Amino acid sequence: MYVEVALPLPVHRTFTYEVPAGTVIGTRVRVPFAGRRLIGWVAGPADAARDVERVLPVDAVLEPSPSVPDGLMRLCRWTADYYLTPLGVVLRAALPAGLSRPGRRPPASRTRRVLRLTAELPSLTGRDATFGRATRQRACFEYVEAAGGRADVRHLTERLGFSRTVLRSLVARRLAVFEDEAVERDPFAALPSDTGPPPVPTAAQAAAIRAILDGEDGRRPTLLLGVTGSGKTLVYLEVLERVVGRDGRGAIVLVPEIALTPQTVARFRGRFGDTVAVLHSALSDGERYDAWRALREGRRRIAIGARSAVFAPIADIGAIIVDEEHEATYKQSEAPRYHARELAIVRAAFHGAVCVLGSATPSLESWHNVERGKFHKVELPARVGDRPLPPVRVIDLRSAPRGDGQRAVLTEPLVTAVEERLACGEQTILLLNRRGYSSFVQCRACGDVWHCPHCNVSLTWHRSRRRLLCHYCMHEKAPPSVCGACGSDALSYRGVGTEQVEREVARTFPAARIARMDVDTTSARWAHHEILSRFGAGEIDILLGTQMIAKGLDFPGVTLVGVVDADVAMNLPDFRASERTFQLLTQVAGRAGRGPAGGAVLVQTSLPHHYAIACAVRHDVHGFLRRETDERRAPGYPPHTRLLNVVISGADEGGVVRAAVDASGWVEAVIRRTEPGRVVLTGPAPCPVDRIRGRWRWHFLLRSAAPGALGRVGRALATGWQAPAGAGEVRIVVDRDPVTLL
Ligand code: ADP
Ligand code: ZN
Ligand code: ZN
């Protein structure tokens, strides 16, 4: 019998093979392909139009029953089609990597060696005296300190490059000890789950639950617009109680980033125990495969995870929940470039399942769907227990008194507010959405800025590593001593990052216990977890970090949130800059005042009158959505249109320009012939970041209010365009519904 097999190759077609009779769709097979052996999936009956003279038999059928159930295959087909990606590439992304390497399980180690700090060195002068010229010891101490006081030894030595001698010196000087720590195979499995009696839904929650489950139009997705602290999680839990607990169906719960939402996970596990499989990026291939099989075999019926959990192999889905539906992390940044919120809606419709999209700051797209009647809307306008939303006060950086010296990053009112919290034992969150120490190094004489040699972005100064680092390609170099352009030695470090704020905070509040949470302190497995549990246990007074700390945390002890610089995201050349700024400010403000002691928010900004900031200060989500929807109309951005961002890249700049001009001309001809006036081309032009990892980048945009037309043009481009001869090696990426144009 002949079938089509989807292979994980960047070609937009399937391949015909012969399989034993009775082999069903979704079965994994190994096939000979151009002298190689590849793993693929049976995708359907053979294409009758194909030449059947040269059909080869598959090497092996790898499983007795298909790994891809019907409903999942249908979702993968939809994904391939909409996101203009080969089906085999989608299947590979949708299934655990373990399935491509059967039988090999990475061994899980049972204990790990950690370095735990035993001394505190609160004052900078104390630190200078202790470490003197031992800068590596100091850097190591400060890394472990920022990571919450404990760090994996292998991570310190292998990933961060500290020598054993440095670690041993810290131990010899009684600043730290080595300890063996039992490794939980999966810390989420051992989370202290809320086992107490579940809270009784408030009247508002009960109404929301009824509207979601029993609304006459229950088959439309529901946008659950609930202010921060309004108890959206309990609504999700009650929806699942009905769908899974009573009706015995399955469910998927998507969260933006699982390491940042341990509390949400704990609540689901507390309620549904072993029915829940937690899928997250820190799982090893073996662990992921175990979780996946448990779902496939129906031993677990609720999958919780980040975006890829939308592909969980659950046969009978009764509900799909997307928490914080506005989050950019739901968009995958490599092929297939799917948006998990979109797939959640599609998959729920296939299964006749309830679909709930929850947020305090919904995306413009979802809001637009509410206004057009495609989604229905349920609101939770107040916090649980009638706690007020915290008052937000703006500190205008253009006129504010600085703490001390012109380099100070904390203004006097913010310093005073933090001091008050420290005095009464309450906790503070400080947000700065920029990591590193200084975001660029500039020559005072000629103004030259140090750039990455491979990417057109400035290098960020990381003080504790003593390195300039590129945040796009990880290129590192030693700090310069003189300007390469003019030879001057007057260099200034500009643009404050979290590392610098941390030093400033440590200096200003020497007695405070501080932790920093950003990409640099959380690269170890479970590092997020350690910092957050220490914060939850009250062992940290000030938690400082990037947008990581703005999401979903529910810590009643936090009475102050300070935003060090609200303008960071606003200055990016991206059409979502205002939306991101509003969301980030509203979300981080929502971490304050969740307990009986109340709370307050202080926002440092140079743009106090910008509507994104002004609306966040007033907690005015409706006002923001109205205004931003208007702002997007004239330039023709989503939600009024759909976008396709086409990026062409290559090592040779001239070749990239030629290819971009050629591709946009080619696509323009297609539009004229097939969709005249329905799809609009803009560009080509250099991308805002026009070089990454040594590759030049040009792009053009296709936009249309008609998704079908946009899809047809995009498909023609992805499958039909060939780079012109002489352009050299160029790569084309077609990104549908991009979340960023950088
Ligand atoms: P959101 O996700 O909307 O910001 P959460 O779901 O985190 O809010 O809920 C905020 C807090 O309110 C949590 O500590 C939660 O346990 C509590 N809570 C939610 N619903 C109720 C209720 N009906 N009664 C008492 N406490 C509740
Ligand atoms: Zn210079
Ligand atoms: Zn770079």
Side-chain angles (χ1 to χ4, degrees), residues 385 525 559 618:
R525 218 185 181 208
T559 57
R618 294 196 306 267

Side-chain angles (χ1 to χ4, degrees), residues 113-349:
R113 201 110 233 260
V114 296
L115 185 72
R116 183 169 65 79
L117 300 188
T118 48
E120 289 187 16
L121 295 173
S123 79
L124 276 194
T125 41
R127 268 177 210 214
D128 292 343
T130 306
F131 292 108
R133 301 174 67 88
T135 54
R136 293 298 287 166
Q137 287 178 33
R138 179 170 185 164
C140 183
F141 183 91
E142 290 181 347
Y143 173 84
V144 179
E145 184 180 44
R150 194 168 28 215
D152 190 318
V153 166
R154 276 185 52 194
H155 183 76
L156 290 170
T157 53
E158 291 170 20
R159 285 281 297 276
L160 300 174
F162 292 110
S163 70
R164 297 261 162 194
T165 318
V166 164
L167 271 56
R168 275 196 292 265
S169 309
L170 288 175
V171 171
R173 302 176 65 179
R174 298 180 189 280
L175 295 170
V177 290
F178 288 120
E179 280 176 358
D180 280 324
E181 200 178 75
V183 185
E184 263 312 323
R185 191 166 147 107
D186 176 357
F188 287 98
L191 272 182
S193 39
D194 309 342
T195 42
V200 179
T202 61
Q205 286 169 324
I209 295 159
R210 270 197 311 277
I212 291 165
L213 289 172
D214 303 326
E216 47 217 69
D217 46 14
R219 296 299 86 119
R220 280 188 299 164
T222 302
L223 177 69
L224 176 63
L225 172 48
V227 299
T228 55
S230 60
K232 293 184 283 296
T233 315
L234 186 63
V235 173
Y236 308 147
L237 288 169
E238 295 296 326
V239 167
L240 261 55
E241 192 68 64
R242 162 87 78 89
V243 169
V244 179
R246 196 194 77 179
D247 301 343
R249 305 182 72 186
I252 296 174
V253 179
L254 299 181
V255 295
E257 228 170 308
I258 204 140
L260 301 179
T261 45
Q263 293 171 316
T264 308
V265 174
R267 286 177 195 160
F268 280 92
R269 287 193 58 97
R271 184 72 82 90
F272 298 103
D274 282 346
T275 321
V276 177
V278 183
L279 306 170
H280 52 89
S281 58
L283 290 180
S284 67
D285 284 355
E287 291 163 330
R288 184 179 306 275
Y289 180 59
D290 289 348
W292 191 87
R293 269 219 338 231
L295 290 164
R296 176 74 183 98
E297 291 164 8
R299 285 179 281 121
R300 297 191 181 223
R301 280 185 291 128
I302 299 175
I304 300 189
R307 60 177 177 259
S308 64
V310 77
F311 293 110
I314 298 172
D316 178 23
I317 297 178
I320 304 185
I321 312 276
V322 185
D323 191 23
E324 310 293 355
E325 64 90 25
H326 62 278
E327 281 284 345
T329 51
Y330 284 126
K331 174 83 169 162
Q332 165 111 328
S333 58
E334 55 194 51
R337 294 180 165 72
Y338 65 88
H339 200 300
R341 176 183 64 226
E342 197 72 31
L343 295 193
I345 294 165
V346 167
R347 195 167 189 196

Side-chain angles (χ1 to χ4, degrees), residues 626-639:
R626 258 195 315 276
R627 172 73 184 266
E628 181 68 8
T629 303
D630 280 349
E631 297 282 336
R632 302 263 184 97
R633 194 166 285 123
Y637 279 122

Side-chain angles (χ1 to χ4, degrees), residues 452 455 470 473:
C452 173
C455 311
C470 171
C473 75

